Amino acid sequence: EDQVTQSPEALRLQEGESSSLNCSYTVSGLRGLFWYRQDPGKGPEFLFTLYSAGEEKEKERLKATLTKKESFLHITAPKPEDSATYLCAVLLSGAGNTPLVFGKGTRLSVIA
Amino acid sequence: DSGVTQTPKHLITATGQRVTLRCSPRSGDLSVYWYQQSLDQGLQFLIQYYNGEERAKGNILERFSAQQFPDLHSELNLSSLELGDSALYFCASSVQGYTEAFFGQGTRLTVV
């Protein structure tokens, strides 16, 4: 069965303390991997798309990387406004259109 | 603002009732997805439509149904509602079925 596992479940950082979130996947074929940010009670906000191993994307304090088995979301010098749940999702390969399969997320808290 | 519009934002209804949730995708997006997110649960895929046709089905209950209309808006119908159906329901849209999806702000359904 295709699975997406995110770790840790929750992470508490001091402002300025860099860290990484992990998304590992066991799928039969990966078409793409997506990172989202979700604030409480709101819809997920798209951050990055990664399509092939070795690919990297950056946006402000966030950098996403992809290997054949996992993806990392690196957060450099985080600020309190980076507090949110970060979700990763995989798009499976196959005929036609397939839905995104989401992990359960990492709940990030950044303390001033 | 993702460009995906969901109405209503909040819905409170009694057990056994039927409700309809509405989604307008981003301009130009042909694919629409519906997801359910319960408290402390991840995003569970329900169903996907592409240009009016059903393309993929997840763990959608038989009491739930959806459709995508010629103008590409979509509706999710939930009937014989139970307390356990209380959740956030998200709609997302994408240009194709293999590109990043953009989420609406969700409909919070409370069944009492």
Side-chain angles (χ1 to χ4, degrees), chain B residues 23 25 29-34 48-55 66-76 92-94:
Chain B
C23 170
D29 285 359
L30 298 177
S31 199
V32 169
Y33 311 80
W34 286 98
Q48 178 197 3
Y49 282 84
Y50 179 79
N51 203 20
E53 292 186 7
E54 181 184 305
R55 281 301 176 93
Q67 54 183 326
Q68 186 179 29
F69 294 87
D71 66 353
L72 300 179
H73 91 272
S74 178
E75 292 181 357
L76 178 66
S93 73
S94 64

Side-chain angles (χ1 to χ4, degrees), chain B residues 94-109:
Chain B
S94 64
V95 174
Q96 299 283 349
Y98 49 84
T99 56
E100 56 271 9
F102 293 85
F103 282 76
Q105 289 302 300
T107 293
R108 181 177 294 281
L109 173 67

Side-chain angles (χ1 to χ4, degrees), chain A residues 28-84:
Chain A
S28 52
L30 182 73
R31 210 169 186 180
L33 187 141
F34 303 82
W35 282 98
Y36 288 83
R37 168 195 171 123
Q38 186 176 24
D39 292 302
K42 301 289 180 65
E45 175 190 345
F46 169 72
L47 294 173
F48 302 110
T49 306
L50 300 166
Y51 286 112
S52 55
E55 192 173 355
E56 298 182 352
K57 293 275 180 71
E58 278 190 73
K59 180 181 178 181
E60 296 179 355
R61 294 177 292 282
L62 300 177
K63 178 180 176 180
T65 62
L66 180 65
T67 72
K68 288 187 177 179
K69 293 289 185 185
E70 59 192 347
S71 176
F72 291 94
L73 184 66
H74 308 278
I75 303 178
T76 302
K79 298 182 177 181
E81 53 261 42
D82 294 323
S83 298

Side-chain angles (χ1 to χ4, degrees), chain B residues 35-81:
Chain B
Y35 285 83
Q36 179 191 58
Q37 188 175 45
S38 303
L39 196 63
D40 296 329
Q41 293 293 314
L43 282 159
Q44 300 295 316
F45 169 68
L46 296 177
I47 198 163
Q48 178 197 3
Y49 282 84
Y50 179 79
N51 203 20
E53 292 186 7
E54 181 184 305
R55 281 301 176 93
K57 217 167 188 176
N59 297 323
I60 187 168
L61 300 172
E62 285 191 11
R63 300 183 285 108
F64 296 0
S65 65
Q67 54 183 326
Q68 186 179 29
F69 294 87
D71 66 353
L72 300 179
H73 91 272
S74 178
E75 292 181 357
L76 178 66
N77 299 298
L78 315 175
S79 61
S80 302
L81 285 167

